[in-house]
Amino acid sequence: MPLSSVVKLLQPYNREGIVQSLYWSLRVGGEVVEEAAQEDFQYKLKVYIDSTLDKSAKTRQGALDGLKAAMATRILYEFISDRRTTIADSIERCLKKGKGEEQHAAASLACLLCIQLGSGIESEEVFKTLKPVFKNILLDGSANIQARQADVYATMECFESLFTRSYVREDGSRPSLNPQTTLLHTNALLSWALLLTICTSSQVKAITHKHLPKLPRLLENDNVHMRIAAGETIALLFELARDTDPFEYEDWEPLCDKLNSLATDCNKHRAKTDKRKQRSVFRDVLKAVEEGEFQSETIRFSTERMTIDSWVRKRTYDAFREFVGSGMNYHLQANEFIRDVFELGPPMLVDSTTLKSMKVSRFERHLYNAAAFKARTKARSKFRDKRVDVGEF
């Protein structure tokens, strides 16, 4: 029962002073419980940090996963800021001493750590500390593929040398790569595209001139994720090139034909889910190349809305969502760094009463869903009737 309800029930039978005393006792008690829960949570985080130095690889892995989950779902700047050097040292140790899964988790944690610390000197110090380690793993051909795949998000210098190895050769032959290496090249391409979003106009011009003639070769890749990444990167390059300078592309028609074939792909040898996703993405890519348009999307979080209205914004949003996962809406609402990236302004403070008034009740949701189901059923029935009529005719 809410505290205000308890006070109302007791007020007729008690003097004002007793009611006020009870009110403040309950309120203070609630604050004590909340403070105790916070202390317990911070104690768990400290245990996780200490456990990253454990001799057992399983214990270290669990500690890294625990820290990742906490950073993805909460804002922990004050707690982390005082311990950033310790956490960075733990990440560095796990990257150097660990293998596969542990290195993957450590690299992801490094990105979440920088997201928590924001765009200031603190995150820059962490990046400079870990950059040499990331670079060594990325360039080490003998290193675990899974570890190299995760590290591409923290090192921005060698992406090009990775994904270009997936290009179809000049003679038309395709490089023979295993699925893990292809996934590594895909992530390298996406990270390279993320870096493009903050390049200067002169850099964009040089990159467009160098890579736009070659990127369409990746559209012939056997891996659906590589094809989609290549298509989105091409759309991004076209958007950036059009914003910087009058832009002309010689192989316009062959590229549009290739994009159109992927947008209407009916290859029986490909999985239905892959074809569905590919067709959806490449319809948007084709519009971007032919007409310079983008299919905007609205993201709702708490009482706010954010519009994804460009390929630049989409690539940035997808990169953050890759790490924070289901906690993305929470970070959009409360993380100052992410809000600054998307120009959302300072975090908005909304009290619980306002939030409750904005929520739709379960009964109202039921009525809305029932009405939508009824309308959908009617529309489908009419469509079926039309198909029957055509068949009979």
Side-chain angles (χ1 to χ4, degrees):
M1 181 182 294
L3 181 58
S4 57
S5 302
V6 174
V7 173
K8 285 180 181 178
L9 285 172
L10 293 176
Q11 199 159 6
Y13 309 102
N14 294 273
R15 293 182 179 179
E16 186 177 349
I18 298 175
V19 173
Q20 288 181 352
S21 177
L22 175 62
Y23 175 86
W24 287 109
S25 297
L26 291 171
R27 183 170 179 178
V28 170
E31 291 175 354
V32 170
V33 171
E34 186 178 346
E35 187 176 343
Q38 181 67 14
E39 288 178 358
D40 183 55
F41 177 71
Q42 290 186 358
Y43 174 75
K44 287 181 180 179
L45 291 180
K46 291 174 184 177
V47 172
Y48 284 143
I49 293 171
D50 292 338
S51 297
T52 57
L53 304 176
D54 197 90
K55 291 183 179 180
S56 168
K58 187 176 181 180
T59 302
R60 294 196 302 269
Q61 177 74 41
L64 292 169
D65 289 339
L67 289 170
K68 280 171 54 185
M71 290 190 195
T73 55
R74 295 200 185 192
I75 303 300
L76 303 170
Y77 175 79
E78 291 183 5
F79 178 86
I80 289 172
S81 181
D82 297 334
R83 298 169 178 82
R84 65 182 184 280
T85 304
T86 304
I87 298 173
D89 289 343
S90 297
I91 292 171
E92 184 177 3
R93 180 186 174 86
C94 291
L95 288 169
K96 288 180 177 178
K97 304 294 183 182
K99 296 180 181 179
E101 288 286 343
E102 185 179 341
Q103 290 178 310
H104 183 283
S108 297
L109 180 60
C111 296
L112 286 167
L113 178 60
C114 289
I115 289 174
Q116 287 279 347
L117 293 174
S119 58
I121 298 174
E122 296 169 329
S123 58
E124 190 174 345
E125 288 175 354
V126 172
F127 178 74
K128 286 181 178 179
T129 300
L130 298 176
K131 182 180 176 181
V133 186
F134 285 134
K135 195 171 181 179
N136 288 338
I137 295 175
L138 186 63
L139 296 177
D140 183 6
S142 63
N144 183 282
I145 286 290
Q146 194 172 19
R148 295 171 70 203
Q149 176 190 326
D151 294 337
V152 297
Y153 286 99
T155 308
M156 295 289 185
E157 293 183 348
C158 304
F159 297 150
E160 187 179 317
S161 64
L162 287 170
F163 71 79
T164 51
R165 296 174 191 173
S166 288
Y167 280 163
V168 175
R169 300 186 183 96
E170 294 291 345
D171 60 1
S173 62
R174 300 181 184 182
S176 179
L177 302 171
N178 61 51
Q180 285 184 318
T181 303
T182 301
L183 188 57
L184 169 67
H185 292 182
T186 303
N187 285 331
L189 176 61
L190 290 172
S191 300
W192 181 79
L194 179 64
L195 182 61
L196 281 178
T197 63
I198 56 172
C199 285
T200 63
S201 57
S202 58
Q203 289 171 329
V204 168
K205 189 174 181 179
I207 290 170
T208 303
H209 178 74
K210 179 181 179 182
H211 284 281
L212 197 52
K214 299 176 182 178
L215 274 172
R217 299 177 194 172
L218 293 177
L219 298 174
E220 301 171 24
N221 197 282
D222 292 331
N223 186 283
V224 64
H225 300 293
M226 174 59 89
R227 293 196 298 273
I228 289 173
E232 290 182 343
T233 303
I234 289 170
L236 176 64
L237 265 178
F238 267 84
E239 181 178 88
L240 291 170
R242 282 171 172 147
D243 288 343
T244 55
D245 206 29
F247 172 64
E248 292 183 3
Y249 180 60
E250 294 179 358
D251 299 323
W252 186 283
E253 289 187 8
L255 175 60
C256 289
D257 290 341
K258 191 174 292 185
L259 293 174
N260 186 56
S261 67
L262 290 168
T264 56
D265 187 11
C266 297
N267 194 324
K268 294 182 179 179
H269 300 291
R270 289 175 181 159
K272 287 184 178 180
T273 52
D274 288 349
K275 285 190 289 187
R276 192 179 299 116
K277 186 176 181 181
Q278 176 183 288
R279 287 196 292 258
S280 174
V281 170
F282 278 96
R283 282 195 293 267
D284 294 338
V285 172
L286 185 61
K287 276 187 178 180
V289 172
E290 285 185 331
E291 305 168 19
E293 294 183 0
F294 179 83
Q295 186 68 36
S296 62
E297 178 185 0
T298 301
I299 309 296
R300 293 178 175 84
F301 51 98
S302 184
T303 59
E304 299 178 79
R305 295 182 181 185
M306 179 182 74
T307 304
I308 307 295
D309 56 2
S310 68
W311 289 98
V312 170
R313 209 169 174 85
K314 182 181 186 304
R315 178 81 285 275
T316 307
Y317 177 80
D318 288 347
F320 279 117
R321 192 176 57 179
E322 180 74 21
F323 291 105
V324 300
S326 59
M328 185 63 189
N329 282 1
Y330 176 74
H331 279 272
L332 283 171
Q333 182 182 350
N335 189 309
E336 292 184 6
F337 169 54
I338 292 182
R339 290 183 66 87
D340 184 51
V341 169
F342 291 107
E343 299 176 345
L344 296 172
M348 293 177 62
L349 298 176
V350 182
D351 58 15
S352 57
T353 306
T354 306
L355 281 175
K356 284 181 181 178
S357 66
M358 295 182 66
K359 287 184 178 178
V360 180
S361 68
R362 177 182 288 184
F363 181 66
E364 288 174 322
R365 283 201 306 270
H366 173 71
L367 291 177
Y368 173 80
N369 290 335
F373 177 77
K374 186 175 181 180
R376 188 165 58 247
T377 303
K378 284 184 176 180
R380 286 176 177 173
S381 297
K382 288 181 181 179
F383 181 67
R384 290 192 188 99
D385 292 342
K386 286 181 181 178
R387 286 194 300 185
V388 170
D389 293 340
V390 171
E392 290 176 352
F393 179 78

